[in-house]
Amino acid sequence: MKTKVFDVRDIYKHYIDKSTVLDDAETDEKFEETLKDIDQAAQVIIDGGLVVFPTETVYGLGANALNAEATAKIFAAKGRPADNPLIVHIARASNIGELTPVLTPEIIQLIDNFWPGPLTIVLPKKENVPDITTGGLKTVAIRMPDDPVALELINKAGCPVAAPSANISGRPSPTRRQHVVADMDGKVDAILIGRDCRVGIESTVLDLSGEIPTILRPGIITAENIEAVINKKVAIDPALNQRKGCSNSDEGEIDFIPKAPGMKYRHYAPKADMTVIEGNRDKVKSEIERLKGLNEKLGLKVGVILFEEKAFNEAAHEFFAKLREMDDEGVDLILAGALSEQDGVGFAVMNRMLKSAGYNIAKV
Ligand code: AMP
Ligand code: MG
């Protein structure tokens, strides 16, 4: 398939932060061209095709969420297991009613505080949402992304857009334009090139379909952030706290079945072997040095990931990009230092780091 690639970065100059309104005071020809490119991509979605687009979390691979044939193409392009449901993206919070019959004061509070932004909420689905979009579940995951390209695209397509991360299944999520082109060129109808993803890890997934609000996937919006808004305890899916392998890694089966089906698969894996070194920070540093020296003597190319202490947002922003850079450089072994604090955003980054390493952990 021939993929049309559109560089639409000009749009960011005209974007008022946290709003879908474009500042058209200074529009120019380039800007008009950019809007036309997004129109073309929206037409692809309307016609049942696939469009890769930027969001603030990671790049997404989108199709009309209400068109079963179109969302089936997402699973094919990614090689994604059919029981791993898609997140459905909307451009206006008020469109949530197209997807779910439920709207409580709690949901409205969450939307007011966190949308557009990296919070996905899981609610009972309406009949019109095809089973294939939700991996056969009776619930649907919904989010409004905070990126003007994404919002323009969804708005112009006039339908909710189902979009998982735009990587081949199992690979690190793409957060930079070169990474998304490398994975998706030839597999989709169009790619919209935007800016590097500000957040860098996927959205927090919050299940609101049961009695207790439960985090199914951690992200930069933490349980504490959510509790502060809804004044209620938020649970963490117990599957997130265990440290064994995923179903298609060789570490063995998991004990708790995660409620977010996607969380059970081997994820985010770089081509290189990867080990997470965990423990006291000084010991972690010296163990990384020791292992690096040892492996380099054996002729291996070693890459090190060691974030500044407490720089959790920076770690989120950089993590996937670093894995892909190391793959591009032909690194054989990645040694990653575990973050020193593993709650809040640190918990979200560690969730990705441990999965990328296939739960290969060395304690020091
Ligand atoms: P991705 O699209 O790659 O960002 O992954 C989406 C994540 O959201 C996966 O972990 C899914 O399993 C999860 N998810 C999507 N829809 C639902 C749902 N209806 N119930 C529970 N988890 C969901
Ligand atoms: Mg993904």
Side-chain angles (χ1 to χ4, degrees), residues 235-247:
I236 308 275
D237 185 1
L240 296 178
N241 283 318
Q242 63 147 18
R243 293 185 153 211
K244 271 209 258 150
C246 311
S247 59

Side-chain angles (χ1 to χ4, degrees), residues 78 80 165 167 173 202 267:
K78 280 188 61 114
R80 183 172 173 107
S165 50
N167 50 283
S173 301
E202 304 85 347
H267 256 93

Side-chain angles (χ1 to χ4, degrees), residues 19-257:
S19 146
T20 56
V21 182
L22 294 170
D23 173 10
D24 55 7
E26 277 179 63
T27 55
D28 51 21
E29 226 171 275
K30 177 96 171 67
F31 180 64
E32 296 300 328
E33 284 299 308
T34 303
L35 289 183
K36 279 192 198 136
D37 290 345
I38 299 178
D39 281 341
Q40 279 200 54
Q43 192 59 47
V44 170
I45 299 271
I46 293 166
D47 295 340
L50 296 182
V51 175
V52 167
F53 62 95
T55 82
E56 82 282 26
T57 57
V58 305
Y59 273 81
L61 167 55
N64 179 350
L66 303 181
N67 175 340
E69 270 173 48
T71 57
K73 292 182 192 166
I74 294 179
F75 288 88
K78 280 188 61 114
R80 183 172 173 107
D83 70 346
N84 190 358
L86 308 174
I87 291 173
V88 179
H89 295 73
I90 55 179
R92 294 177 208 279
S94 54
N95 291 348
I96 191 172
E98 289 174 22
L99 302 166
T100 177
V102 180
L103 192 63
T104 61
E106 191 173 89
I107 297 169
I108 294 170
Q109 281 173 321
L110 288 169
I111 290 176
D112 276 352
N113 278 275
F114 297 116
W115 281 7
L119 177 71
T120 295
I121 55 182
V122 174
L123 291 166
K125 81 171 183 78
K126 274 193 172 169
E127 280 293 314
N128 60 325
V129 183
D131 283 342
I132 185 162
T133 300
T134 64
L137 297 174
K138 292 295 164 216
T139 51
V140 58
I142 311 166
R143 168 170 119 82
M144 178 177 169
D146 182 21
D147 182 285
V149 175
L151 293 171
E152 275 292 298
L153 174 74
I154 301 164
N155 224 349
K156 285 179 166 160
C159 60
V161 172
S165 50
N167 50 283
I168 309 278
S169 222
R171 298 266 299 132
S173 301
T175 58
R176 308 283 188 265
R177 59 182 178 280
Q178 60 276 28
H179 300 153
V180 83
V181 173
D183 267 23
M184 288 295 146
D185 192 24
K187 293 198 173 67
V188 298
D189 300 284
I191 298 178
L192 295 174
I193 296 289
R195 60 186 166 196
D196 290 349
C197 301
R198 173 172 58 79
V199 175
I201 57 173
E202 304 85 347
S203 58
T204 305
V205 176
L206 180 70
D207 185 4
L208 292 175
S209 68
E211 289 273 291
I212 303 168
T214 304
I215 291 189
L216 305 184
R217 177 173 73 185
I220 65 157
I221 295 178
T222 64
E224 294 74 48
N225 298 152
I226 296 167
E227 283 167 353
V229 167
I230 60 175
N231 250 316
K232 206 194 234 187
K233 188 80 193 142
V234 170
I236 308 275
D237 185 1
L240 296 178
N241 283 318
Q242 63 147 18
R243 293 185 153 211
K244 271 209 258 150
C246 311
S247 59
N248 57 346
S249 80
D250 51 11
E251 300 282 314
E253 287 295 316
I254 44 182
D255 297 332
F256 294 93
I257 303 295

Side-chain angles (χ1 to χ4, degrees), residues 277-293 304-309 335-338 364:
I277 321 291
E278 189 173 56
N280 164 290
R281 194 165 165 91
D282 289 336
K283 283 193 184 155
V284 166
K285 276 188 187 161
S286 53
E287 181 65 359
I288 287 179
E289 278 315 306
R290 192 183 72 81
L291 289 173
K292 184 170 187 282
V304 171
I305 298 180
L306 189 63
F307 294 109
E308 291 280 313
E309 224 171 342
L335 300 170
V364 287

